[in-house]
Amino acid sequence: MPFSCRPLLVALAAFTAFSASAEPDARAIEAALTPLGLSAASVTPSPIQGMNEVVTERGIIYMSDDGQYFMAGNLYHSVNGEPVNLTEQKMATINKGKLKGMEDEMIVYPAKDEKYVVTVFTDTSCGYCRKLHSEMQAYNDAGITIRYLAFPRGGERSQNFGEMSAIWAAKDPLKAMDAAKKGTLDIDNSPHNDALVMKHYQLGVAMGVTGTPALVLEDGTMLPGYQPASRLLQFLNSRS
């Protein structure tokens, strides 16, 4: 199973001790990541002594200074008895940055009286993605603009990869998306844009998407799974 596809990030190695070294050994950390097919975009001290926050192309892991011990999971800080998810907060900041400049590649269903913008990684073969799409008017009426990025869950091996490639290459992507979600899109004589769909898929993997629909809020926070318009609006209002 790929590193990024576990529903709950779990420890990948038994972490029983912390390194006593004062500085992280960048070479040792990189060497430990290599067998996992990962590389470090950044290594910074975590709030836990001897442990480092390592940002990779597939999310965040925590690794000892000497690279011998590592954990994959969420790091929480107890604040007045309430858990604060530090990993989620950091990933939100990273995700927000990753979405900058992607607007022209998104298929957008704008709300007339826009209050919020939600980016959705979607798969045309996903039942809950189709359910979300069938309720698009409800989202727009609630003031929520929906922006789609492609995430065929099996990557290039997905049976519907060609369909999603055709949507993003279509002259009228909204019309093509509507047809695909209804199962009526004819792709036999359609242009394709495989590279763009793979770009979106790889972006989703880097942002921690493991299933669809995956909703990304404007601050980069990710909400996995379908949310009806009324519940999503209530959640967004509670954060504003």
Side-chain angles (χ1 to χ4, degrees), residues 1-49:
M1 177 177 290
F3 177 79
S4 65
C5 292
R6 296 191 182 276
L8 293 176
L9 292 175
V10 295
L12 297 181
F15 183 76
T16 57
F18 293 144
S19 167
S21 61
E23 296 289 337
D25 185 335
R27 290 185 179 181
I29 289 175
E30 194 64 45
L33 292 173
T34 299
L36 298 174
L38 301 174
S39 61
S42 67
V43 179
T44 55
S46 81
I48 303 174
Q49 184 177 2

Side-chain angles (χ1 to χ4, degrees), residues 19-235:
S19 167
S21 61
E23 296 289 337
D25 185 335
R27 290 185 179 181
I29 289 175
E30 194 64 45
L33 292 173
T34 299
L36 298 174
L38 301 174
S39 61
S42 67
V43 179
T44 55
S46 81
I48 303 174
Q49 184 177 2
M51 288 291 285
N52 301 282
E53 177 189 271
V54 182
V55 178
T56 78
E57 65 273 29
R58 295 198 175 192
I60 295 172
I61 64 174
Y62 299 93
M63 184 165 284
S64 60
D65 288 338
D66 59 9
Q68 294 187 31
Y69 301 94
F70 62 96
M71 297 177 63
N74 289 322
L75 178 63
Y76 291 87
H77 179 206
S78 181
V79 179
N80 297 324
E82 294 294 328
V84 176
N85 192 328
L86 300 181
T87 308
E88 185 179 82
Q89 288 182 347
K90 180 60 176 285
M91 280 303 301
T93 300
I94 293 171
N95 290 346
K96 182 179 179 180
K98 288 182 180 295
L99 290 179
K100 282 186 177 180
M102 298 286 295
E103 293 81 6
D104 291 344
E105 300 178 10
M106 299 177 182
I107 298 175
V108 182
Y109 290 78
K112 183 177 180 181
D113 298 313
E114 183 180 282
K115 298 177 183 176
Y116 304 105
V117 177
V118 175
T119 303
V120 179
F121 284 91
T122 192
D123 183 329
T124 55
S125 69
C126 159
Y128 277 107
C129 292
R130 292 194 293 267
K131 180 172 176 59
L132 185 154
H133 192 80
S134 71
E135 298 169 4
M136 187 63 69
Q137 192 61 55
Y139 293 99
N140 290 166
D141 288 346
I144 303 171
T145 290
I146 297 293
R147 312 186 306 184
Y148 281 138
L149 289 170
F151 194 84
R153 290 166 290 175
E156 283 185 304
R157 297 187 301 274
S158 300
Q159 290 185 349
N160 66 326
F161 184 88
E163 179 179 63
M164 300 196 71
S165 178
I167 292 170
W168 261 267
K171 189 174 182 179
D172 187 342
L174 276 77
K175 184 178 179 180
M177 179 66 78
D178 292 344
K181 296 284 184 167
K182 295 176 182 176
T184 60
L185 180 64
D186 181 7
I187 67 170
D188 290 339
N189 299 306
S190 301
H192 288 69
N193 194 336
D194 293 359
L196 186 60
V197 171
M198 275 307 297
K199 177 184 175 182
H200 291 184
Y201 174 76
Q202 290 165 352
L203 172 68
V205 170
M207 291 174 62
V209 176
T210 58
T212 55
L215 285 60
V216 186
L217 309 186
E218 290 174 88
D219 68 352
T221 298
M222 187 174 295
L223 297 179
Y226 162 79
Q227 298 282 335
S230 58
R231 187 189 305 162
L232 180 58
L233 178 62
Q234 183 179 23
F235 179 77

